[in-house]
């Protein structure tokens, strides 16, 4: 899905992830891009978009008519709406004039509101959950304490580094569930090679061999690679690896095993008081 801005989104992760190659626009996108912003402006001038939610949607249409708005709701920042579009989280002022993207710090709570948005995490987790477990390549220890979903590519250096440490992740109680994200795009050799991995009789071995740079026997079959790539696009994956917690929180690009375990422990510690409060009579 096209991005809202030309600047790289999730820039803080770019140093530990391999960037996705630019994707060509679908036919008809250029015409839509030319017409939709003017239509949105006419609607605003005509009085359409009288509510903050409608003004937020109109503002997104002006920025990128191809971006699908998945969610609009009240933001924790007064005077702003929280918007999920193109898999990205934005704040748009209630009058539709101002847009914020990136880091919004709550100094009292000492947390980044953008990274801890329940709406964004829920949106991601629901989409990831649409991928059957049988279509994932799973490296898991017995009685794993945590499970992470990793959108991966077989050529990316950081993906290979992470996979080289999957044994340590398992020893730390972390199960890794891989989803395919051929960052060079659909139809690329990267895409074909990932299909070959997912069509192998032993997917785990094939993935490990591919990440080690070994030749990949070409195979084809009914496979989930395109579907998984599409889900990644919809939740805003812009590079690989992209690591998500079971709750849909993006934990990073590449992280060393101890750092990933620490992040998961931190998330669990924050969940515990909320869960206790919810269970109280």
């Amino acid at each position: 899905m096209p991005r809202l801005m030309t600047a790289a989104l999730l820039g803080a992760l770019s140093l530990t992830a391999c960037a996705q190659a630019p994707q060509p626009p679908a036919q008809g996108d250029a015409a839509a891009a030319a017409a939709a912003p003017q239509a949105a402006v006419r609607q605003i001038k005509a009085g359409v978009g009288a509510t903050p939610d409608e003004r937020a949607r109109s503002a997104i249409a002006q920025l990128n008519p191809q971006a699908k708005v998945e969610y609009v709701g009240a933001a924790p920042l007064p005077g702003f709406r929280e918007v999920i579009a193109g898999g990205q989280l934005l704040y748009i002022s209630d009058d539709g004039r101002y847009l914020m993207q990136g880091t919004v710090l709550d100094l009292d709570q000492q947390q980044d509101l953008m990274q801890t948005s329940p709406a964004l995490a829920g949106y991601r987790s629901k989409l990831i959950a649409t991928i059957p477990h049988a279509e994932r390549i799973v490296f898991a220890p017995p009685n794993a304490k945590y499970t992470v979903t990793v959108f991966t590519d077989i050529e990316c250096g950081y993906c290979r580094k992470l996979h080289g440490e999957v044994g340590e992740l398992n020893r730390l109680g972390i199960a890794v569930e891989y989803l395919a994200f051929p960052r060079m795009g659909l139809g690329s050799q990267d895409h074909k090679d990932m299909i070959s991995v997912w069509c192998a009789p032993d997917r785990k071995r094939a993935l490990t061999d591919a990440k080690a740079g070994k030749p990949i026997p070409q195979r084809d079959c009914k496979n989930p690679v395109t579907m998984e790539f599409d889900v990644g696009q919809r939740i805003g994956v812009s590079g690989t690896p992209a690591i998500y917690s079971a709750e849909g929180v993006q934990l990073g690009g590449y992280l060393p095993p101890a750092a990933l375990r620490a992040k998961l422990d931190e998330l669990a510690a924050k969940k515990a008081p909320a869960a206790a409060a919810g269970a109280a009579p």
Side-chain angles (χ1 to χ4, degrees), residues 111-161:
Q111 65 180 12
D112 181 353
L113 298 179
M114 289 280 189
Q115 290 299 316
T116 57
S117 165
L120 181 59
Y123 165 75
R124 289 168 170 166
S125 64
K126 286 179 183 177
L127 274 178
I128 291 172
T130 63
I131 300 172
H133 188 268
E135 303 291 6
R136 309 173 187 216
I137 299 180
V138 179
F139 292 79
N143 304 314
K145 182 175 179 62
Y146 300 114
T147 298
V148 294
T149 298
V150 180
F151 286 87
T152 193
D153 178 80
I154 60 175
E155 295 185 348
C156 165
Y158 281 111
C159 295
R160 292 182 173 188
K161 183 174 177 62

Side-chain angles (χ1 to χ4, degrees), residues 33-150:
Q38 289 82 356
V41 171
R42 287 196 297 271
Q43 287 180 334
I44 293 172
K45 289 182 178 179
V48 177
T51 70
D53 284 10
E54 291 168 335
R55 284 191 285 269
R57 291 179 181 276
S58 294
I60 294 297
Q62 292 179 67
L63 282 174
N64 185 345
Q66 302 167 41
K68 182 180 179 181
V69 176
E70 306 281 358
Y71 169 84
V72 180
L77 192 67
F80 282 81
R81 310 308 288 170
E82 188 175 58
V83 179
I84 299 173
Q88 305 298 327
L89 182 69
L90 308 166
Y91 284 175
I92 296 179
S93 59
D94 287 347
D95 61 6
R97 180 175 179 181
Y98 299 103
L99 179 149
M100 290 194 299
Q101 178 184 10
T103 299
V104 178
L105 293 178
D106 182 331
L107 297 179
D108 286 345
Q109 298 296 320
Q110 292 292 299
Q111 65 180 12
D112 181 353
L113 298 179
M114 289 280 189
Q115 290 299 316
T116 57
S117 165
L120 181 59
Y123 165 75
R124 289 168 170 166
S125 64
K126 286 179 183 177
L127 274 178
I128 291 172
T130 63
I131 300 172
H133 188 268
E135 303 291 6
R136 309 173 187 216
I137 299 180
V138 179
F139 292 79
N143 304 314
K145 182 175 179 62
Y146 300 114
T147 298
V148 294
T149 298
V150 180

Side-chain angles (χ1 to χ4, degrees), residues 149-181:
T149 298
V150 180
F151 286 87
T152 193
D153 178 80
I154 60 175
E155 295 185 348
C156 165
Y158 281 111
C159 295
R160 292 182 173 188
K161 183 174 177 62
L162 179 71
H163 191 65
E165 297 168 341
V166 75
E168 178 62 18
L169 290 169
N170 286 173
R171 283 189 288 274
L172 291 174
I174 302 170
V176 177
E177 298 189 351
Y178 282 120
L179 302 180
F181 193 84

Side-chain angles (χ1 to χ4, degrees), residues 191-200 206 216-220:
H191 179 216
K192 295 173 184 176
D193 288 343
M194 295 198 79
I195 288 174
S196 295
V197 167
W198 255 258
C199 289
I216 304 167
Q218 294 299 296
R219 299 182 176 92
D220 197 7

